Amino acid sequence: PDGRKDVFYSYQATSSAAGHFNDPFVLSSETMTTGRERHGSVFGCDDYGLTYIYTAGGIDGANVVLDDTEFSEISIHGNASPWKQAVQYQDAAHPRVVNQMVTPRNGHTLVRHGKWLYAIGGADADTNVTSSVIAMTSVERAFVLGYDTMPRIQYPIVHGGSGLPQGTWYYR
């Protein structure tokens, strides 16, 4: 009646589903390539909406501090693909080498931001057997390649003349 207006909102409070699962845990058919504890794990999506779990570092069954990374693609139904070690190109003689952290580490945090993985802190020795371990202050990062950064096949270059001789040609 006094000419003023407002916008009204409604909300409903319900009990939380936090902490409740629809089903119990089930064992996945896919196992990691290396058994590890005190590792860092994180998930991330690529430009096409594919989801991956990355796991780096940790300690293996022989109490060796690890410096490698494994990953698995997770389907839209929650199923993991076979775990693979992250590799990178080095040179023609060694086209695929294991992608390693600068310093092996366990008990660290693994964070993904955009196309970068960050390994933060941790220790470079097995803290179960070594009592004088100094916590690491270092941070390492690795760039996660995507479809936009993968190598592309280049078109062949024509060098004048009458072209290729007749026959069947294959490009590899």
Side-chain angles (χ1 to χ4, degrees):
D2 60 2
R4 292 190 274 174
K5 323 187 237 191
D6 203 346
V7 178
F8 296 92
Y9 295 92
S10 172
Y11 71 93
Q12 179 180 5
T14 62
S15 61
S16 171
H20 301 282
F21 294 104
N22 188 39
D23 294 314
F25 277 98
V26 294
L27 192 60
S28 172
S29 61
E30 302 299 338
T31 59
M32 299 178 70
T33 61
T34 304
R36 55 184 79 216
E37 63 173 302
R38 291 194 303 242
H39 54 272
S41 290
V42 68
F43 81 96
C45 299
D46 66 10
D47 297 336
Y48 294 93
L50 301 175
T51 304
Y52 297 89
I53 295 176
Y54 302 92
T55 298
I59 297 174
D60 68 8
N63 295 325
V64 174
V65 181
L66 303 171
D67 62 359
D68 66 332
T69 302
E70 298 184 37
F71 68 96
S72 174
E73 182 181 337
I74 307 301
S75 75
I76 60 171
H77 302 292
N79 299 318
S81 70
W83 285 82
K84 300 175 189 170
Q85 255 189 339
V87 294
Q88 66 187 46
Y89 177 82
Q90 181 174 319
D91 55 36
H94 307 92
R96 299 213 180 262
V97 296
V98 174
N99 190 321
Q100 297 173 311
M101 292 187 280
V102 174
T103 305
R105 55 181 73 215
N106 72 97
H108 61 287
T109 297
L110 195 64
V111 177
R112 176 156 181 186
H113 178 69
K115 294 187 178 189
W116 293 94
L117 286 181
Y118 293 87
I120 304 169
D124 60 358
D126 181 3
T127 54
N128 283 337
V129 296
T130 306
S131 61
S132 59
V133 174
I134 297 174
M136 298 169 63
T137 59
S138 63
V139 176
E140 298 183 33
R141 70 179 186 165
F143 187 73
V144 179
L145 297 177
Y147 288 104
D148 57 335
T149 52
M150 70 181 172
R152 304 274 190 245
I153 295 176
Q154 295 187 3
Y155 291 107
I157 300 169
V158 178
H159 292 286
S162 62
L164 297 173
Q166 291 186 349
T168 303
W169 289 82
Y170 297 94
Y171 178 76
R172 183 173 177 199

